[in-house]
Amino acid sequence: MADKTKATGMLAELKDGPYPSFVKEIEAAAEKNEMAQDLIGLLELSYNEKLCHWKHGGIVGVMGYGGGVIGRYVDVPEEFPNVSHFHTLRVNQPAAWFYKTEALRKICDIWEERGSAIMNIHGSTGDIILLGTTTAQLEPVFSELTKLGFDLGGSGSVLRTPSCCVGPARCEWAMFDTLKFAYEHTMKYQDELHRPYFPYKFKFKFSGCPNDCVASIARADMSFIGTWRDDILVNQDKVLWYANEKKLDIQEIVVDRCPTKCMEWDGKELHIDNRNCSRCMHCINVLHLALKPGKDRGCTILIGSKAPILEGAQLSSVLVPFMRMEPPYAEDEATAEDLPELIDNIWELWGEEGKNRERVGEFIQRIGMGNFLDAIGLEPAAEMVSHPRTNPYVFYELGEEDEEEEDE
Amino acid sequence: MADMVSVDEVAEAMFKLIKDAAGQKQYKAMDLQKAMIELFPDRVDKKLCKESIKKLINSGRCIYTYFGGSYIELPHVEGAANPDE
Ligand code: SF4
Ligand code: SF4
């Protein structure tokens, strides 16, 4: 009889090469776990037949929650009875994915006993993904996870598990406390996370600076990206050190690659026209000992990005060019009052008018950004326009102050 | 505003809607909210609707389902399910 713990054929080929292999991991799990054994068999069947044998389940879950469990069954349960049910659980990760080793061991123990012993840290949503268990094990797993202090994350038409970059825990560029902000939003919107109320999914992602390590500009319906309003802090001695000691070609590597061409270098001093800087972080990343973001820090809020699922990929558009981020966030007017009001207005409008399975970015495209801003009560701003200097459809009208200046 | 309807009354009205439409139409949370606002003009609001849905779900009379979008339905065995081991 064939060894059920070993992959063969095409599946075995995926163990070759210097790269980590999911097949090796499933084999290791299969030493002790029958679900993992049948998973190997099922995958081999799929590879040979070029057919997917998974069926999507839409009902399984834990009591009271509308998300966190993704139902899966196989269409050949007689052949592979141990993966007849193979549901996925999403577990809400701690902010910026910090764990005590003890916590991880305990999650693994639960999953070895009650699931396939195969997990994915972390899924693209940010959650811990526990892959494969039966319907009967869902409530016991959930109960044991909650005893450990973990909760399920989001799936379906809910607020998905908020995620954030490592922020001030390890990174000098963080303009705000991404971990605290992500945690507070997770706690504040528990109902929205577990009880589907939206036309489709909605994601918050928090990045501490424009390097955007959680790719919020591409992946979040509402992206929060740290920024600053004042001038970049320049230490000219250190700039010279880069040029003379490190032999860095400042003109080519820094100045010529500035996207708004707002820098000049005369061989002795670096000049930045801060009014035209788009805060992209490029020069700061390269000359990190010489340049620092300004001190008037906060975040930019953007809206509408998504990966290609039903329709094509979209990047976010600026919604709030600058929001003050003063801790404690739960007490400052900007983060404690203005922001929740903005979020509510967006959810209300999209909830009422959005079509089934229409992401907020697609909704905005359908009704137009102008109408969207009008309906949620936000004034348009130049920062919302991509390439405002060259966009022929944008007209600036002089305000009173500008007119006075012109008259002088 | 006229007197508000109770959470129980709204939950009951939602349940009836879901039950009568079972197998023919699936309701999302927002559909139920809109239907309740139409049924009880000026006497329900969003918060009350959310409370009523919570009640229906927590009591087990209804469940959340996911078929492309998330719906609220009567508990039933789904087509894709394999029998429990
Ligand atoms: S996004 Fe910025 S602050 Fe966050 S980890 Fe990356 S570089 Fe650091
Ligand atoms: S942050 Fe970006 S836009 Fe601003 S000066 Fe540096 S390279 Fe130019």
Short mmCIF file of all heavy atoms in Angstrom, two decimals, chain A residues 280-315:
data_model
loop_
_atom_site.label_atom_id
_atom_site.label_comp_id
_atom_site.label_asym_id
_atom_site.label_seq_id
_atom_site.Cartn_x
_atom_site.Cartn_y
_atom_site.Cartn_z
N CYS A 280 7.51 61.34 -0.60
CA CYS A 280 7.57 59.95 -1.06
C CYS A 280 8.54 59.11 -0.25
O CYS A 280 8.53 57.88 -0.33
CB CYS A 280 7.94 59.90 -2.54
SG CYS A 280 9.70 60.15 -2.82
N MET A 281 9.44 59.74 0.50
CA MET A 281 10.44 59.06 1.35
C MET A 281 11.69 58.64 0.60
O MET A 281 12.63 58.14 1.23
CB MET A 281 9.88 57.80 2.07
CG MET A 281 8.97 58.03 3.22
SD MET A 281 9.69 58.77 4.69
CE MET A 281 10.63 57.45 5.40
N HIS A 282 11.75 58.80 -0.72
CA HIS A 282 12.92 58.27 -1.44
C HIS A 282 14.23 58.84 -0.90
O HIS A 282 15.15 58.10 -0.53
CB HIS A 282 12.80 58.53 -2.94
CG HIS A 282 14.10 58.30 -3.65
ND1 HIS A 282 14.67 57.05 -3.72
CD2 HIS A 282 14.99 59.15 -4.25
CE1 HIS A 282 15.84 57.14 -4.34
NE2 HIS A 282 16.05 58.41 -4.67
N CYS A 283 14.32 60.17 -0.83
CA CYS A 283 15.61 60.77 -0.42
C CYS A 283 15.93 60.39 1.03
O CYS A 283 17.10 60.16 1.37
CB CYS A 283 15.56 62.29 -0.59
SG CYS A 283 14.24 63.08 0.35
N ILE A 284 14.92 60.28 1.86
CA ILE A 284 15.15 59.95 3.28
C ILE A 284 15.63 58.50 3.41
O ILE A 284 16.53 58.20 4.19
CB ILE A 284 13.86 60.19 4.10
CG1 ILE A 284 13.48 61.68 4.02
CG2 ILE A 284 14.02 59.75 5.54
CD1 ILE A 284 12.16 62.03 4.63
N ASN A 285 15.04 57.62 2.61
CA ASN A 285 15.49 56.21 2.65
C ASN A 285 16.96 56.09 2.25
O ASN A 285 17.71 55.32 2.85
CB ASN A 285 14.66 55.36 1.68
CG ASN A 285 13.25 55.13 2.18
OD1 ASN A 285 13.00 55.18 3.38
ND2 ASN A 285 12.33 54.91 1.27
N VAL A 286 17.37 56.87 1.24
CA VAL A 286 18.75 56.75 0.76
C VAL A 286 19.72 57.44 1.72
O VAL A 286 20.73 56.87 2.11
CB VAL A 286 18.88 57.32 -0.67
CG1 VAL A 286 20.32 57.20 -1.16
CG2 VAL A 286 17.95 56.59 -1.63
N LEU A 287 19.39 58.66 2.10
CA LEU A 287 20.30 59.43 2.98
C LEU A 287 19.77 59.39 4.41
O LEU A 287 19.54 60.43 5.03
CB LEU A 287 20.38 60.88 2.48
CG LEU A 287 20.84 61.10 1.04
CD1 LEU A 287 20.75 62.57 0.66
CD2 LEU A 287 22.26 60.59 0.83
N HIS A 288 19.57 58.20 4.94
CA HIS A 288 18.81 58.13 6.19
C HIS A 288 19.55 58.69 7.40
O HIS A 288 18.94 58.99 8.40
CB HIS A 288 18.33 56.70 6.45
CG HIS A 288 19.43 55.70 6.50
ND1 HIS A 288 19.94 55.27 7.67
CD2 HIS A 288 20.11 55.09 5.50
CE1 HIS A 288 20.92 54.40 7.39
NE2 HIS A 288 21.03 54.28 6.10
N LEU A 289 20.88 58.85 7.28
CA LEU A 289 21.58 59.47 8.41
C LEU A 289 21.57 61.00 8.29
O LEU A 289 21.85 61.71 9.25
CB LEU A 289 23.03 58.98 8.48
CG LEU A 289 23.19 57.48 8.75
CD1 LEU A 289 24.65 57.06 8.68
CD2 LEU A 289 22.62 57.12 10.12
N ALA A 290 21.24 61.49 7.12
CA ALA A 290 21.30 62.93 6.89
C ALA A 290 19.93 63.61 6.85
O ALA A 290 19.80 64.78 7.19
CB ALA A 290 22.02 63.20 5.57
N LEU A 291 18.92 62.88 6.43
CA LEU A 291 17.58 63.47 6.28
C LEU A 291 16.59 62.79 7.22
O LEU A 291 16.67 61.58 7.44
CB LEU A 291 17.08 63.32 4.84
CG LEU A 291 17.98 63.83 3.72
CD1 LEU A 291 17.27 63.66 2.38
CD2 LEU A 291 18.36 65.28 3.92
N LYS A 292 15.68 63.60 7.73
CA LYS A 292 14.62 63.03 8.57
C LYS A 292 13.31 63.71 8.20
O LYS A 292 13.29 64.88 7.82
CB LYS A 292 14.88 63.34 10.06
CG LYS A 292 16.16 62.75 10.63
CD LYS A 292 15.83 61.63 11.62
CE LYS A 292 17.06 60.96 12.16
NZ LYS A 292 17.90 60.28 11.18
N PRO A 293 12.19 62.97 8.34
CA PRO A 293 10.90 63.63 8.11
C PRO A 293 10.74 64.79 9.09
O PRO A 293 11.35 64.78 10.16
CB PRO A 293 9.88 62.53 8.43
CG PRO A 293 10.62 61.25 8.36
CD PRO A 293 12.04 61.56 8.73
N GLY A 294 9.90 65.77 8.73
CA GLY A 294 9.68 66.92 9.62
C GLY A 294 9.05 66.50 10.94
O GLY A 294 8.76 65.32 11.17
N LYS A 295 8.82 67.51 11.79
CA LYS A 295 8.31 67.17 13.13
C LYS A 295 6.80 67.29 13.25
O LYS A 295 6.21 66.82 14.22
CB LYS A 295 8.97 68.08 14.15
CG LYS A 295 10.45 67.74 14.33
CD LYS A 295 11.06 68.56 15.44
CE LYS A 295 12.48 68.08 15.68
NZ LYS A 295 13.32 69.11 16.29
N ASP A 296 6.15 67.96 12.28
CA ASP A 296 4.70 68.13 12.33
C ASP A 296 4.08 66.91 11.62
O ASP A 296 3.86 66.92 10.42
CB ASP A 296 4.33 69.43 11.62
CG ASP A 296 2.84 69.72 11.72
OD1 ASP A 296 2.14 68.99 12.45
OD2 ASP A 296 2.38 70.67 11.04
N ARG A 297 3.86 65.87 12.40
CA ARG A 297 3.52 64.57 11.80
C ARG A 297 2.04 64.19 11.95
O ARG A 297 1.39 64.62 12.89
CB ARG A 297 4.39 63.49 12.43
CG ARG A 297 5.86 63.74 12.15
CD ARG A 297 6.75 62.81 12.90
NE ARG A 297 8.13 62.96 12.43
CZ ARG A 297 9.11 62.12 12.72
NH1 ARG A 297 8.86 61.07 13.46
NH2 ARG A 297 10.32 62.33 12.27
N GLY A 298 1.59 63.37 11.06
CA GLY A 298 0.20 62.90 11.12
C GLY A 298 0.03 61.80 10.09
O GLY A 298 0.96 61.07 9.83
N CYS A 299 -1.16 61.72 9.49
CA CYS A 299 -1.30 60.73 8.42
C CYS A 299 -2.20 61.23 7.31
O CYS A 299 -2.98 62.16 7.49
CB CYS A 299 -1.78 59.39 8.98
SG CYS A 299 -3.51 59.27 9.24
N THR A 300 -2.03 60.62 6.16
CA THR A 300 -2.90 60.87 5.02
C THR A 300 -3.88 59.70 4.95
O THR A 300 -3.47 58.55 5.12
CB THR A 300 -2.08 60.92 3.71
OG1 THR A 300 -1.16 62.00 3.81
CG2 THR A 300 -2.96 61.12 2.49
N ILE A 301 -5.14 60.02 4.72
CA ILE A 301 -6.13 58.95 4.57
C ILE A 301 -6.50 58.83 3.10
O ILE A 301 -6.77 59.84 2.43
CB ILE A 301 -7.41 59.24 5.41
CG1 ILE A 301 -7.04 59.47 6.87
CG2 ILE A 301 -8.41 58.11 5.28
CD1 ILE A 301 -8.21 59.88 7.74
N LEU A 302 -6.46 57.61 2.62
CA LEU A 302 -6.80 57.38 1.21
C LEU A 302 -7.94 56.38 1.13
O LEU A 302 -8.19 55.64 2.09
CB LEU A 302 -5.60 56.83 0.45
CG LEU A 302 -4.35 57.71 0.45
CD1 LEU A 302 -3.39 57.27 1.53
CD2 LEU A 302 -3.66 57.69 -0.90
N ILE A 303 -8.60 56.36 -0.01
CA ILE A 303 -9.77 55.47 -0.13
C ILE A 303 -9.77 54.73 -1.46
O ILE A 303 -9.33 55.27 -2.47
CB ILE A 303 -11.08 56.27 0.06
CG1 ILE A 303 -12.29 55.35 0.13
CG2 ILE A 303 -11.29 57.28 -1.08
CD1 ILE A 303 -13.16 55.60 1.29
N GLY A 304 -10.22 53.49 -1.40
CA GLY A 304 -10.66 52.83 -2.64
C GLY A 304 -9.76 51.82 -3.30
O GLY A 304 -10.06 51.40 -4.41
N SER A 305 -8.66 51.37 -2.67
CA SER A 305 -7.85 50.40 -3.41
C SER A 305 -8.40 48.99 -3.22
O SER A 305 -9.18 48.72 -2.30
CB SER A 305 -6.38 50.46 -3.00
OG SER A 305 -6.22 50.05 -1.67
N LYS A 306 -7.95 48.11 -4.07
CA LYS A 306 -8.39 46.72 -4.00
C LYS A 306 -7.55 45.87 -4.94
O LYS A 306 -7.03 46.37 -5.94
CB LYS A 306 -9.87 46.59 -4.39
CG LYS A 306 -10.17 47.11 -5.78
CD LYS A 306 -11.60 46.94 -6.13
CE LYS A 306 -11.93 45.55 -6.61
NZ LYS A 306 -11.36 45.18 -7.90
N ALA A 307 -7.42 44.59 -4.60
CA ALA A 307 -6.76 43.65 -5.50
C ALA A 307 -7.77 43.20 -6.55
O ALA A 307 -8.98 43.36 -6.34
CB ALA A 307 -6.25 42.46 -4.70
N PRO A 308 -7.30 42.66 -7.67
CA PRO A 308 -8.27 42.27 -8.70
C PRO A 308 -9.03 41.01 -8.32
O PRO A 308 -8.46 39.94 -8.31
CB PRO A 308 -7.39 42.02 -9.94
CG PRO A 308 -6.05 41.74 -9.41
CD PRO A 308 -5.92 42.39 -8.08
N ILE A 309 -10.30 41.15 -7.99
CA ILE A 309 -11.12 39.95 -7.76
C ILE A 309 -12.25 39.99 -8.78
O ILE A 309 -12.19 39.33 -9.81
CB ILE A 309 -11.63 39.85 -6.32
CG1 ILE A 309 -10.44 39.66 -5.36
CG2 ILE A 309 -12.57 38.64 -6.19
CD1 ILE A 309 -10.80 39.38 -3.95
N LEU A 310 -13.25 40.80 -8.51
CA LEU A 310 -14.33 40.86 -9.50
C LEU A 310 -13.94 41.75 -10.67
O LEU A 310 -14.19 41.46 -11.82
CB LEU A 310 -15.61 41.39 -8.85
CG LEU A 310 -16.25 40.48 -7.81
CD1 LEU A 310 -17.59 41.02 -7.39
CD2 LEU A 310 -16.40 39.06 -8.33
N GLU A 311 -13.35 42.91 -10.33
CA GLU A 311 -12.88 43.80 -11.39
C GLU A 311 -11.39 44.02 -11.18
O GLU A 311 -10.81 43.48 -10.25
CB GLU A 311 -13.67 45.12 -11.33
CG GLU A 311 -15.12 44.89 -11.68
CD GLU A 311 -15.91 46.17 -11.85
OE1 GLU A 311 -15.30 47.24 -11.97
OE2 GLU A 311 -17.14 46.08 -11.84
N GLY A 312 -10.78 44.85 -12.01
CA GLY A 312 -9.33 45.03 -11.96
C GLY A 312 -8.84 45.68 -10.67
O GLY A 312 -9.62 46.17 -9.87
N ALA A 313 -7.51 45.68 -10.51
CA ALA A 313 -6.91 46.28 -9.32
C ALA A 313 -7.06 47.80 -9.36
O ALA A 313 -7.14 48.39 -10.43
CB ALA A 313 -5.44 45.91 -9.27
N GLN A 314 -7.14 48.39 -8.20
CA GLN A 314 -7.22 49.85 -8.10
C GLN A 314 -6.31 50.32 -6.99
O GLN A 314 -6.19 49.64 -5.96
CB GLN A 314 -8.65 50.26 -7.71
CG GLN A 314 -9.54 50.61 -8.88
CD GLN A 314 -10.97 50.92 -8.44
OE1 GLN A 314 -11.88 50.32 -8.95
NE2 GLN A 314 -11.15 51.83 -7.51
N LEU A 315 -5.69 51.48 -7.17
CA LEU A 315 -4.94 52.11 -6.08
C LEU A 315 -5.84 53.12 -5.39
O LEU A 315 -6.81 53.61 -5.96
CB LEU A 315 -3.69 52.82 -6.62
CG LEU A 315 -2.58 51.93 -7.18
CD1 LEU A 315 -1.43 52.79 -7.68
CD2 LEU A 315 -2.07 50.95 -6.13
#
